[in-house]
Amino acid sequence: EETDGDPHRTKAKVMEVARASVEEDCAQLIVLGCAGMVGYAEELEQVLGVSVMDPTSVTLKVCEGLGDAGALRRSPGRCGEAPAPKRTVPPACG
């Protein structure tokens, strides 16, 4: 809620923490941690001179990787069952 309520303040705080990570801990990559920070990466990257990853892109790639690795399974139970095949009805002759 705070991220959405005051995006300028949020971006300033993210910049402060990311800058400290780069300067004090020699971070070479910043991965933003919440979808409320979408759109911050490009500016942070330009200012800090390190790679900054957008949180939604990271999440998408993790999910793709899990799928590619076969690590995703259907949930057990009724909601995880495959849907019944659809019955097709041929069009009426007329």
Side-chain angles (χ1 to χ4, degrees):
E1 188 173 302
E2 186 176 324
T3 303
D4 294 335
D6 191 349
H8 297 292
R9 181 174 171 218
T10 300
K11 188 185 285 188
K13 185 64 177 177
V14 170
M15 180 68 77
E16 175 187 327
V17 172
R19 186 184 310 272
S21 295
V22 170
E23 292 174 358
E24 297 171 19
D25 300 323
C26 300
Q28 296 178 18
L29 171 68
I30 304 294
V31 180
L32 300 174
C34 134
M37 297 174 188
V38 169
Y40 291 9
E42 187 176 337
E43 181 181 345
L44 291 169
E45 207 167 81
Q46 289 174 355
V47 171
L48 299 173
V50 298
S51 295
V52 179
M53 298 183 79
D54 183 275
T56 55
S57 299
V58 171
T59 302
L60 174 64
K61 289 300 183 182
V62 167
C63 291
E64 285 179 345
L66 290 170
D68 291 347
L72 301 178
R73 307 269 187 267
R74 287 189 178 273
S75 299
R78 186 179 66 81
C79 292
E81 295 173 2
K86 292 189 180 201
R87 194 181 103 172
T88 57
V89 178
C93 296

